[in-house]
Each structure stands twice: as C-alpha cells, then as structure tokens.
C-alpha cells in the first residue's frame, strides 16, 4: 500500500497538472480550439504509451525468477527496440499522418495535427524506458517523480503563454508540447545511453525471447492504450471538432481514473509475476490489490454524483453538456477498475496472447457500437459504446481467469473450496 501511494502521489500529481493544462487550454481557446488540441493530444498519447509493451516485457523477464540473472541483457534489448521504434515513428510521421487524415478521417486539414502528435508521442516514449528501470528496482519514489516531470514543465509553459502573452491559438500550444517533448526525450536518451553498456551488442536469443513473448504484450498495449482514445478518433470521423471539444471534457475526468489505475499497474505488475507461486501468495496479491481498488471505486461513486457541478466549476458552463456522457463513462470504468489487478495474472500464467484476444475483442465490440450509436446519439452514443465494451470485457476476462486459475497446479481453485489451502487439503486427503 505504501508503494502504491508513493506512485499514486507522483502520477496523481502529474494527472492533476495534466488536468490543469487541459482546463487552461479549454478556457482560453474555446470548444473548437480545445477540440483541435484534443485530437493532437489523443494521437500523442497513443504514440506515447503503445511502446510501453517493450518496457512491460523487460519488467516481466527482469523480475521472473528464472531470468533475473540476465536482467542487463534484457535491458539492452529493451533500449535497442525503443530506439528503433522512435526512429521509425519520426521517419513515418508525416506520410502516415497525411494518409490517415485524408483516407480515414476525411479531414485533410488535420494532417499536421496528426503528424505532430505522432512525433511528440514517440519522443516521450523514451522516458518510459527510464521509468521501467526504476520500476524493476522498485524505486517507486523516483518513478513517481519522473512521471510528473513532463506535465510540470508543460504547465509552467502554458501559464506563461496564457497569462503573460496574448496568445489564444492552438499552434503555439502544440509547439510548446513539441519543445518539452524533445527536451524530455533528450535527457532520457542520455540516461539510457549511460546506463546501457555495449549498446551495439546484439543478442539474438534475448531479442527472440522478448519478441516472442513481447509481441502479445505489444498487441495488447495497442488495444489497451488505444481503446480509451478511440472514442475521440471516431467522433472526429463522424462529427466536428467542436463536439470533440465538449466530449473531451468528459474524457479528461475518466483519464483521472485511468492514471490512478495506472499507478496500481506500476506497483502490481512486478508483484503479479510472483503471485502464482502458491495459494497464499495469490491470496495476498488479491488482498493487497483490494485496498487501492476500494479507494478508486469510492472516487468513481463521488464523481458520478458531482459530475455536472464539477464540470461547470472547472471548465465553465459552456461545457455543461459533457456531464451526461461522463456519467455513462464512469459506469464502464467502475467495472474495468475491479478487473485491472487480475489482468496482470495472465502474464504470470504466460498467457499474454489470451489477454490480447480479450482486449482485441473489446476494441472490435466498441468499433461496431461506435458505428451504430454515434450517428444516432452523438457523443452520448460514443459514451454508451465505451461503457458496454468495458463491462462486457471485464466480465468475460474475469470469468475466464477464474477458470484458468482452477486448473493451475500451484493454485487449484475449486468451486466447492473456500480457499486454495482447502483445495490442497482435499487433494491430500480425498476421503476427509
């Protein structure tokens, strides 16, 4: 709980600052300008978090008992893959951005926003590798400080732009984000290069093992981290940027929940790797995760009640229409928060492909619902589609995990047993 709170304080403060940044932008640029920024921000976050799959794979192997002795080799491979990702993204950002703007969104005028979002996100992904090295060493205090660095610098820059200068356009705001991203990436790259001996040494066995396991984490991350932002992308396709600006206000509140659960991920991911040693370790893992989950559920309940008032006070009465989609979205995030700690057990079971299939199914269900509900109900339809997909996925994934744990040799959960210990006792004394 102490480790979780340390990460929560850092990432929570980062999220508060990020929310403050978005409030400043929304108030000073208006709903249409905020819609333009929101689209850039969605693309940036997607390009930023998707390569976290490399870092998650590194944590998996660095903390696994059978591979801890080769942690330095896995670290080198992680850094090599991250550098390759950034290089490819920077080279392909403009053609990919232009193609998506024209062919998918049918809005050629947003191609520049798309391109700059891809560039910023790929630069920021370098920082995640530094964070993963702290995560493996369980230096959660330093991890928390690093998580808040980017948003703190950006917040100071926005305060200068809006309070000192007469700037009221989205262009300088995006330029600020690009500059801070480049600065953060440069500092992070120096740290990576200094902490990676023999960077040019290529170990095919290590790379192959990370790729074989990591590809499923990568595909899962692609689905997991794209999912909370796909509603904004689909709204951009079907509706105008002014509506996206309104909906983005609701999405910002749900992102607070996402960052709180993300803090949980930072702590419980390495510990989930050891949770299936026996029934006692699994029980302890569930008990430890239940405490922060309870806090999250309480926060969701309070926000459900206070949604209209919170939006009016923070963003202003011009964004009051965002209250209805926010309340719908909160129901979905309630279910996903309950399931999140259990999701890491798929990695401990060495079944990352199953988690990918579950996340891909959630994404496909959401896309089908978006296509039907957004033209009917606008941003309310987008919120309903997200919630239905989240609830369905959480219930299906939780049920499947219970079935898999029943079959696990060190756990042997059974419907007629009250604990893993009783199941083991039954195996030893079948007639008792």
């Amino acid at each position: 709980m102490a480790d979780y709170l340390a990460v929560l304080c850092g990432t929570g403060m980062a999220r508060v600052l990020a929310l403050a940044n978005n409030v400043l932008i929304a108030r000073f640029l208006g709903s249409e300008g905020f819609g333009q920024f929101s689209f850039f921000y969605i693309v940036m976050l997607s390009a930023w978090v998707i390569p976290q799959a490399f870092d998650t794979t590194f944590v998996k192997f660095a903390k696994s008992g059978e591979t801890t002795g080769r942690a330095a080799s896995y670290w080198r491979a992680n850094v090599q893959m991250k550098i390759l990702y950034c290089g490819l993204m920077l080279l392909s950002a403009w053609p990919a951005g232009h193609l998506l703007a024209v062919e998918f969104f049918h809005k050629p005028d947003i191609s520049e926003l798309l391109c700059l979002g891809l560039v910023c996100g790929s630069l920021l992904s370098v920082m995640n590798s530094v964070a993963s090295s702290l995560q493996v060493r369980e230096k959660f205090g330093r991890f928390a400080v690093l998580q808040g660095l980017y948003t703190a610098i950006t917040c100071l820059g926005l305060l200068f732009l809006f309070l000192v200068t007469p700037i009221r356009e989205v262009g300088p705001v995006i330029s600020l984000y690009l500059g801070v991203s480049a600065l953060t990436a440069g500092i992070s790259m120096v740290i990576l290069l200094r902490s990676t001996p023999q960077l040019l040494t290529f170990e095919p066995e290590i790379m192959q093992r990370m790729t074989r396991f990591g590809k499923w984490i990568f595909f899962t991350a692609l689905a997991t981290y794209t999912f909370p932002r796909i509603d904004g992308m689909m709204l951009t396709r079907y509706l105008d940027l002014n509506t996206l600006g309104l909906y983005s206000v609701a999405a910002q509140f749900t992102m607070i929940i996402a960052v709180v659960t993300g803090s949980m991920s930072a702590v419980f991911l390495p510990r989930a790797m050891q949770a299936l040693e026996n029934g006692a370790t699994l029980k302890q893992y569930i008990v430890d995760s239940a405490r922060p989950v309870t806090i999250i559920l309480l926060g969701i309940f309070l926000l459900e009640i206070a949604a209209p008032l919170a939006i009016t006070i923070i963003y202003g009465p011009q964004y009051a229409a965002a209250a209805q989609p926010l309340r719908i979205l909160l129901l979905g995030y309630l279910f996903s928060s309950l399931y999140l700690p259990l999701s890491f057990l798929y990695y401990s079971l060495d079944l990352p492909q199953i988690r990918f299939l579950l996340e891909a199914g959630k994404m496909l269900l959401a896309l089908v619902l978006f296509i039907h509900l957004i033209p009917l109900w606008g941003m309310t339809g987008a919120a309903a589609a997200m919630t239905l997909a989240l609830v369905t996925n959480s219930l299906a994934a939780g049920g499947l995990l219970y079935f898999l744990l029943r079959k696990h040799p060190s756990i042997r959960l059974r419907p007629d047993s009250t604990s893993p210990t009783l199941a083991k006792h039954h195996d030893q004394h079948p007639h008792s």
Side-chain angles (χ1 to χ4, degrees):
M1 190 65 179
D3 289 335
Y4 172 72
L5 289 175
V7 176
L8 180 60
C9 287
T11 54
M13 182 57 65
R15 189 61 227 174
V16 169
L17 289 174
L19 178 61
N21 294 344
N22 283 280
V23 171
L24 285 171
I25 295 169
R27 282 187 171 272
F28 282 98
L29 298 186
S31 57
E32 184 173 356
F34 186 55
Q36 293 175 327
F37 170 78
S38 296
F39 179 73
F40 157 80
Y41 197 64
I42 289 169
V43 176
M44 183 190 78
L45 289 178
S46 299
W48 181 359
V49 299
I50 285 172
Q52 279 187 6
F54 305 144
D55 307 311
T56 302
T57 305
F58 162 65
V59 173
K60 148 69 180 175
F61 284 109
K63 296 296 287 185
S64 178
E66 60 185 38
T67 56
T68 48
R70 307 194 69 181
S73 297
Y74 287 107
W75 169 248
R76 184 185 302 110
N78 177 35
V79 174
Q80 290 169 342
M81 288 190 290
K82 186 60 69 70
I83 292 174
L84 178 62
Y85 168 82
C86 290
L88 291 175
M89 285 294 293
L90 293 175
L91 290 174
S92 62
W94 172 249
H98 181 71
L99 180 65
L100 287 171
V102 174
E103 299 297 331
F104 179 77
F105 294 105
H106 306 299
K107 293 180 174 65
D109 54 313
I110 66 171
S111 59
E112 185 176 356
L113 295 174
L114 227 165
C115 171
L116 292 175
L118 291 173
V119 170
C120 283
S122 61
L123 290 173
L124 286 172
S125 69
V126 181
M127 182 178 65
N128 291 341
S129 289
V130 180
S132 70
S133 68
L134 298 173
Q135 188 179 358
V136 164
R137 290 179 286 162
E138 300 194 13
K139 302 290 185 180
F140 294 115
R142 297 179 186 178
F143 177 88
V145 171
L146 184 62
Q147 292 291 304
L149 182 63
Y150 173 78
T151 49
I153 297 173
T154 306
C155 185
L156 292 175
L158 287 172
L159 287 172
F160 175 81
L161 277 180
F162 291 134
L163 301 181
V164 179
T165 72
I167 291 174
R168 297 294 182 269
E169 297 178 354
V170 73
V173 173
I174 293 177
S175 297
L176 171 66
Y177 274 81
L178 181 61
V180 178
S181 299
L183 175 63
T184 305
I187 296 172
S188 299
M189 186 60 72
V190 170
I191 295 173
L192 291 184
L193 294 177
R194 292 182 62 181
S195 63
T196 312
Q198 300 177 323
L199 179 61
L200 299 180
T201 300
F202 182 75
E203 298 180 83
E205 178 191 353
I206 299 295
M207 190 68 73
Q208 183 180 16
R209 190 167 187 179
M210 287 192 71
T211 303
R212 186 169 58 249
F213 187 89
K215 67 177 182 292
W216 295 111
I217 299 181
F218 179 82
F219 293 141
T220 302
L222 183 65
T224 302
Y225 295 127
T226 303
F227 178 79
R229 299 161 186 93
I230 195 171
D231 49 354
M233 295 183 181
M234 296 300 290
L235 279 171
T236 304
R237 175 180 170 86
Y238 287 104
L239 303 175
D240 55 40
L241 291 177
N242 182 67
T243 304
L244 176 62
L246 292 172
Y247 183 86
S248 295
V249 168
Q252 288 302 313
F253 283 94
T254 62
M255 287 300 173
I256 298 175
I257 301 170
V259 80
V260 173
T261 54
S263 303
M264 188 194 309
S265 304
V267 174
F268 286 104
L269 173 61
R271 295 180 180 177
M273 298 304 105
Q274 302 165 342
L276 300 187
E277 292 180 357
N278 52 60
T281 56
L282 176 61
K283 180 180 178 181
Q284 188 62 48
Y285 176 79
I286 294 174
V287 170
D288 288 344
S289 63
R291 299 186 184 107
V293 167
T294 302
I295 296 174
I296 293 169
L297 296 182
L298 177 61
I300 292 175
F301 176 74
L302 294 176
L303 186 56
E304 183 79 35
I305 297 173
L309 182 62
I311 289 174
T312 302
I313 292 175
I314 296 174
Y315 286 92
Q318 67 269 33
Y319 293 100
Q324 184 177 5
L326 172 57
R327 282 178 157 169
I328 296 172
L329 287 169
L330 289 173
L331 295 176
Y333 279 92
L334 185 146
F335 279 83
S336 65
S337 298
L338 283 169
Y339 161 68
L340 180 66
L342 302 177
S343 67
F344 300 125
L345 295 176
Y346 280 110
Y347 296 146
S348 188
L349 288 166
D350 287 330
L351 294 172
Q353 65 273 29
I354 292 183
R355 191 178 177 205
F356 161 68
L357 292 174
L358 289 167
E359 295 298 327
K362 179 175 70 174
M363 179 80 75
L364 291 174
L365 176 60
L367 286 172
V368 172
L369 292 171
F370 284 137
I371 292 170
H372 288 85
L373 297 183
I374 290 178
L376 286 176
W377 300 331
M379 59 181 181
T380 301
M386 289 285 286
T387 294
L388 288 171
L390 283 168
V391 172
T392 302
N393 175 261
S394 299
L395 294 176
L400 178 59
L401 182 64
Y402 177 76
F403 174 79
L404 293 172
L405 290 176
R406 284 180 57 193
K407 302 297 182 181
H408 195 273
S410 64
I411 305 299
R412 301 293 297 278
L413 291 175
R414 292 185 179 178
D416 59 343
S417 65
T418 57
S419 70
T421 305
L422 288 180
K424 183 176 179 181
H425 176 78
H426 179 80
D427 289 340
Q428 295 173 345
H429 306 282
H431 301 292
S432 60

